[in-house]
Amino acid sequence: MRVPLFSCVMALSLPPLAAAETAGLTPTLERLETQVAGQPVTVARSGPACPPACLQPMEAAPGVSAIGEAELVAFLAGPVSEMRGVLVDARAPGPFATGMLPGAISVPGFTLHSDNPYRAELLAALGLAPGRSPDLTLVVFGQGPLDPVPVMALRALFEAGYPAERMQYYRGGLDVWTALGLTTGPGS
């Protein structure tokens, strides 16, 4: 029997809950009940509560594209290895310390909020300085498809002036990466 990849990812990354317990799809949509070709269709989700663990969009910020694993491997082989790109793990330090994607650096998403007094230094380290367009391309990721943190981080970077064409979103995050059996490294 073939099991869809998405089912495998969800089974590996989320704690099991009772079948009757639902978590919501988005902050404004608990479940979808509609009809397709005259037949009732329901889409619901069990797992961690939404919010914060809601379905995340493919476009995290205007003009920021989402990428998959093949594109991420190419990004590591090209821009990251050539020092033209940075793989940004937006998770908090605790989860980062337990494991990360190879070549990633830790820039917790909450540190990019506009009220962080050290934000300017972080943005400068990522190449965004007043009067200067960044040379680095960033790929930002988090725990997985339900993690709101990389979306918030990308939006904060976009609002700070980081060009959308210099950012990409790896929506699958650590959960999908590990579910596919890809190599992880120790955090620091």
Side-chain angles (χ1 to χ4, degrees):
M1 174 175 116
R2 283 188 79 170
V3 177
L5 174 61
F6 186 73
S7 297
C8 294
V9 171
M10 298 307 290
L12 292 173
S13 62
L14 299 175
L17 293 180
E21 195 170 344
T22 62
L25 301 172
T26 71
T28 59
L29 183 63
E30 182 69 27
R31 64 189 299 124
L32 173 66
E33 293 185 17
T34 189
Q35 289 195 7
V36 175
Q39 298 298 313
V41 172
T42 300
V43 178
R45 185 176 76 78
S46 62
C50 169
C54 302
L55 299 177
Q56 297 301 312
M58 291 301 284
E59 185 178 73
V64 175
S65 61
I67 64 170
E69 294 72 30
E71 294 84 5
L72 183 51
V73 169
F75 181 71
L76 289 169
V80 172
S81 69
E82 296 163 3
M83 306 293 283
R84 297 181 295 110
V86 178
L87 180 58
V88 176
D89 188 330
R91 298 174 303 149
F96 179 80
T98 65
M100 61 171 206
L101 299 186
I105 65 163
S106 177
V107 181
F110 65 85
T111 64
L112 297 168
H113 289 187
S114 60
D115 60 355
N116 179 1
Y118 304 105
R119 179 181 180 198
E121 288 87 352
L122 286 170
L123 293 172
L126 293 172
L128 184 62
R132 186 177 132 212
S133 182
D135 295 331
L136 296 172
T137 298
L138 308 178
V139 170
V140 180
F141 72 95
Q143 190 63 44
L146 297 176
D147 188 354
V149 174
V151 173
M152 290 185 299
L154 283 158
R155 288 179 182 165
L157 287 163
F158 180 77
E159 290 165 6
Y162 216 96
E165 64 273 7
R166 289 278 185 193
M167 296 187 292
Q168 294 179 312
Y169 173 35
Y170 174 48
R171 184 174 176 266
L174 189 68
D175 288 346
V176 173
W177 186 267
T178 57
L180 294 173
L182 296 165
T183 306
T184 58
S188 52

